[in-house]
Amino acid sequence: MSTLGHKEEWLAQGSTWSMREPAPYDKPHRRRPVARFFDSFRRDPNRSVLPRPITNSIDDPERVAAALGGGLDDMATREHHGIHYFDISAANFRTANTHLARELKGRHLQMIAIGGSIGTGLFVASGKSLNAGGPASLLIAYAFIGVMLYCTVQALGELAVTFPISGSFSAYATRFLDPAWGFAMGWNYALQWLVVLPLEIVAASITVGYWNSQLHRSIFVTIFLVTIIIINLFGVKGYGEAEFVFAIIKITAVIGFILLGIVINIGGFPDEGYLGGRYWQDPGAFHNGFKGLCSVFVTAAFAFTGTELVGLAAAETVNPRKSLPTAIKQVFWRITIFYIVALTCVGLLVPYNHPKLLGAKSMADASASPFVIAIESAGIDVLPGVMNSVILVAVISVGNSAVFGSSRTLAALADQGQAPRFLGYVDRRGRPLAAIIMASLVGLLSYLADLDQQSDVLNWLLAVSGLSSIFTWGSICLAHIRFRRAWFVKGHSLSELPFRSQAGVAGSWLGVIFNVVVLIAQFWIAAWPIPTAPAGASSSSAPPDTLGASSSSAPALDAPTPTAVQNFFLQYLCVPIVAVFYLGYKLWFRTSIVRIEDIDIDTGRRDFNLPILVAREIDEMQSWPLWKKAYKFLC
């Protein structure tokens, strides 16, 4: 792409390049290593310790009256009723001038985009989807969510390249939609990752039981939790490097499984011969009819969770205008190869009524992974252990992303005055230290892994985060639609955008519609669930706690079936949580939908000298062969 260096491009985009001499605290050679380590957690003297308050009460009447468009007489009436005020301009300014370190490079973003969300959603939860809807429903639902996500990520890419600000989509919701909705979306996203962290660590501890089921899971919970915390304490560069390695392992494993799946399908299992599409005929391509298809939607959405982290990382990227478009375009290939092709192989190798799929105890139970089941059924001795190792890496990777996603969102909420101020603390190395500590403390819930009721705990944790991504993705699409309208109303053209969504506004509307369809389908499933076998019916064919291992502390599979009310909230708990956040904030601050003419499209924008950059890139592209132009368009 651009032949400009980082410094020249930064200057061309209207940013400043500090030429000051290093202050004494910037010179690490003056301190001992231990002193430097502890000193890095202190604040930079040139930065404020905590963000100044964004929300104001009646102690600043003139400012509030001016912002609300009324005089002091009107303000007196508002004071009498105890009206509070949210300063959206100050919130926009703080998210645009973040103190987070910008150290992520293009290769980091590309691997985050390709492998960032490959975890239990694909390797484990796809088994539940296969059992609920059959192989055809599995492919249809994942393709449906994939199309929706492609449109969403394209919209996010346009917003994130134009506004590489902290908080990303929650800040966009505040700026382009309604501060109350931005508050709800920010806390919705933060809670999603906060509960995913202990969920993934427990999943990792269960997976380790494949090799040794006698050791207490708390041992491995400690190891995994400490590992994830240490990675994040190395800052955003540590997170990027770890995800780079994790993603390579996961991508290699998925591609290897696809090739192995083709060989197994053609060669057949030891006692069955050629398979082909046998399991699509018996027991069949669909299970539980249309309701079975609808039940797969949210599980598929859970599998894609994490794709939006690319937009969240924009604020900490060295050159987002150059790196983000490439990462955004690669989402299509991840959807196609790593989900559709891999799950096609799964559907050809594992019948939806396989006993181990029926015996899953929770979404974190790796014994129900159709990937491992397929390899075991082929009679291959070594590879199931290898696949379990990959699942272990995947869940640690998602746990690592959970700390990154929750900490950055909490810090951005604090910057906007929508979270406790201490969470906005950023240390000398550009780490949101207080938010990282908060996320790590929530990770202590992982020690519930040794409880007999761990499956209930995991299912309720999952209920909090199950629909969160649907709200986040829908909010991104709505923010993009509103941004485009404001962009045109204020006299700008598409040529002035540093990156344009390939799906356009039509793609964002399609994303909104698809998200609403998923919410409706999930409500139907939650209110009128698919009938299940009586408690204990499948216990005779249930697998041990993990593949090839048993555990005396494993929860009983014949536990009481949840009541209708419990089942509804297990499926739909996220909706009342979002409603409470939104309505509570709106009633307290009396916010309203931001008018198109009042939308701020300038604060934080990094394209003030875009023609200079575009002219350079056009000159460079003219010398490219046709294949390279096609490659750059797609990737």
Side-chain angles (χ1 to χ4, degrees):
M1 294 294 290
S2 174
T3 56
L4 294 173
H6 293 318
K7 177 178 176 180
E8 290 77 7
E9 180 147 355
W10 198 333
L11 289 171
Q13 293 180 19
S15 299
T16 58
W17 187 274
S18 176
M19 300 297 292
R20 68 175 178 85
E21 289 295 325
Y25 61 84
D26 290 330
K27 298 180 179 180
H29 64 274
R30 293 186 177 183
R31 298 179 181 270
R32 295 180 179 179
V34 176
R36 290 203 307 268
F37 173 76
F38 286 103
D39 190 61
S40 67
F41 295 104
R42 299 171 56 194
R43 69 180 180 91
D44 189 328
N46 292 330
R47 299 171 179 173
S48 60
V49 183
L50 301 170
R52 295 179 181 176
I54 303 301
T55 53
N56 299 280
S57 189
I58 59 177
D59 58 343
D60 193 6
E62 293 184 1
R63 183 181 182 186
V64 178
L68 293 174
L72 290 178
D73 292 338
D74 294 335
M75 191 59 224
T77 302
R78 297 176 191 275
E79 286 181 17
H80 180 71
H81 292 287
I83 301 300
H84 295 74
Y85 164 62
F86 178 82
D87 191 340
I88 190 171
S89 298
N92 293 341
F93 177 80
R94 285 204 166 274
T95 54
N97 293 275
T98 177
H99 294 154
L100 299 174
R102 290 179 176 173
E103 297 181 342
L104 287 179
K105 299 179 181 179
R107 63 183 179 88
H108 298 139
L109 285 183
Q110 290 174 28
M111 284 303 174
I112 291 173
I114 294 176
S117 65
I118 300 178
T120 54
L122 174 63
F123 289 126
V124 180
S126 57
K128 178 183 177 182
S129 300
L130 178 61
N131 172 245
S137 294
L138 187 69
L139 291 181
I140 293 172
Y142 274 76
F144 181 92
I145 299 297
V147 171
M148 176 183 72
L149 195 61
Y150 175 78
C151 297
T152 301
V153 173
Q154 285 289 323
L156 176 60
E158 181 175 309
L159 292 172
V161 174
T162 306
F163 303 97
I165 60 178
S166 67
S168 192
F169 22 85
S170 65
Y172 300 147
T174 297
R175 177 183 294 209
F176 301 122
L177 300 175
D178 182 349
W181 188 249
F183 172 81
M185 289 299 97
W187 277 104
N188 166 69
Y189 195 72
L191 284 176
Q192 170 190 336
W193 282 119
L194 286 174
V195 300
V196 163
L197 175 60
L199 181 72
E200 295 295 332
I201 293 177
V202 171
S205 67
I206 293 175
T207 304
V208 171
Y210 174 80
W211 295 280
N212 191 333
S213 62
Q214 303 303 317
L215 295 175
H216 288 287
R217 290 176 184 162
S218 57
I219 299 174
F220 301 104
V221 166
T222 302
I223 294 173
F224 299 139
L225 183 59
V226 170
T227 301
I228 291 172
I229 293 173
I230 290 176
I231 290 174
N232 280 272
L233 287 180
F234 274 100
V236 68
K237 191 170 184 179
Y239 164 76
E241 293 293 350
E243 284 305 301
F244 182 80
V245 175
F246 292 154
I248 290 177
I249 295 173
K250 292 186 289 185
I251 291 169
T252 302
V254 173
I255 294 176
F257 174 81
I258 291 173
L259 297 176
L260 177 64
I262 295 173
V263 173
I264 293 176
N265 184 265
I266 295 175
F269 292 151
D271 55 346
E272 297 185 38
Y274 174 74
L275 294 177
R278 177 184 306 175
Y279 295 139
W280 281 61
Q281 300 175 359
D282 182 20
F286 292 93
H287 189 210
N288 296 314
F290 183 68
K291 184 173 286 189
L293 171 63
C294 292
S295 69
V296 181
F297 282 139
V298 172
T299 309
F302 175 80
F304 283 104
T305 298
T307 304
E308 69 286 339
L309 284 173
V310 176
L312 193 64
E316 299 177 75
T317 302
V318 174
N319 190 347
R321 198 193 70 83
K322 184 176 181 180
S323 304
L324 270 176
T326 300
I328 292 297
K329 292 174 184 177
Q330 290 178 349
V331 171
F332 170 79
W333 300 109
R334 188 183 70 186
I335 293 171
T336 302
I337 297 176
F338 302 123
Y339 286 94
I340 305 303
V341 178
L343 292 176
T344 299
C345 292
V346 165
L348 292 173
L349 299 177
V350 182
Y352 70 71
N353 60 354
H354 193 283
K356 288 185 178 179
L357 293 179
L358 298 173
K361 292 180 279 296
S362 72
M363 298 258 301
D365 185 4
S367 65
S369 169
F371 290 80
V372 179
I373 293 172
I375 297 174
E376 280 195 329
S377 299
I380 304 176
D381 295 330
V382 178
L383 289 184
V386 175
M387 200 66 209
N388 268 282
S389 300
V390 174
I391 294 176
L392 185 61
V393 170
V395 295
I396 294 176
S397 172
V398 176
N400 186 39
S401 296
V403 175
F404 174 82
S406 59
S407 63
R408 270 55 179 185
T409 304
L410 289 173
L413 287 170
D415 285 344
Q416 297 175 87
Q418 296 175 331
R421 293 176 61 193
F422 75 90
L423 292 174
Y425 181 91
V426 177
D427 66 16
R428 186 167 296 176
R429 292 188 58 186
R431 298 170 295 197
L433 190 61
I436 291 175
I437 293 174
M438 177 62 70
S440 302
L441 290 176
V442 177
L444 296 177
L445 291 174
S446 308
Y447 286 101
L448 299 173
D450 280 324
L451 289 180
D452 292 340
Q453 297 81 16
Q454 61 146 320
S455 60
D456 294 332
V457 174
L458 292 177
N459 288 333
W460 281 107
L461 285 176
L462 186 64
V464 175
S465 63
L467 286 170
S468 295
S469 294
I470 302 299
F471 283 100
T472 298
W473 298 336
S475 180
I476 291 171
C477 293
L478 283 175
H480 179 246
I481 293 168
R482 296 266 297 170
F483 162 70
R484 279 287 188 94
R485 287 185 60 189
W487 187 256
F488 289 127
V489 165
K490 298 196 175 185
H492 295 282
S493 63
L494 290 179
S495 61
E496 297 177 65
L497 292 173
F499 173 75
R500 294 191 295 275
S501 166
Q502 293 177 339
V505 175
S508 294
W509 277 115
L510 186 65
V512 171
I513 294 171
F514 278 14
N515 278 284
V516 172
V517 168
V518 173
L519 287 176
I520 294 173
Q522 183 65 8
F523 179 83
W524 182 36
I525 297 300
W528 296 276
I530 297 173
T532 57
S538 61
S539 59
S540 61
S541 60
D545 182 47
T546 50
L547 291 179
S550 61
S551 174
S552 59
S553 63
L557 293 176
D558 56 356
T561 303
T563 65
V565 175
Q566 289 176 327
N567 181 77
F568 179 83
F569 282 103
L570 279 171
Q571 301 289 334
Y572 226 65
L573 181 61
C574 184
V575 176
I577 291 177
V578 170
V580 168
F581 275 120
Y582 175 67
L583 295 177
Y585 197 85
K586 196 169 188 66
L587 292 174
W588 183 254
F589 288 105
R590 302 295 176 88
T591 63
S592 60
I593 297 175
V594 183
R595 296 183 301 176
I596 292 294
E597 55 269 22
D598 293 335
I599 289 179
D600 181 3
I601 61 170
D602 294 318
T603 304
R605 184 153 53 93
R606 297 268 300 275
D607 63 345
F608 299 115
N609 288 297
L610 184 63
I612 299 175
L613 305 176
V614 172
R616 296 269 186 124
E617 291 175 358
I618 291 177
D619 291 341
E620 181 181 354
M621 290 173 62
Q622 288 178 349
S623 62
W624 290 352
L626 183 61
W627 68 266
K628 189 173 182 179
K629 292 179 180 179
Y631 172 79
K632 288 295 182 180
F633 176 79
L634 296 173
C635 303

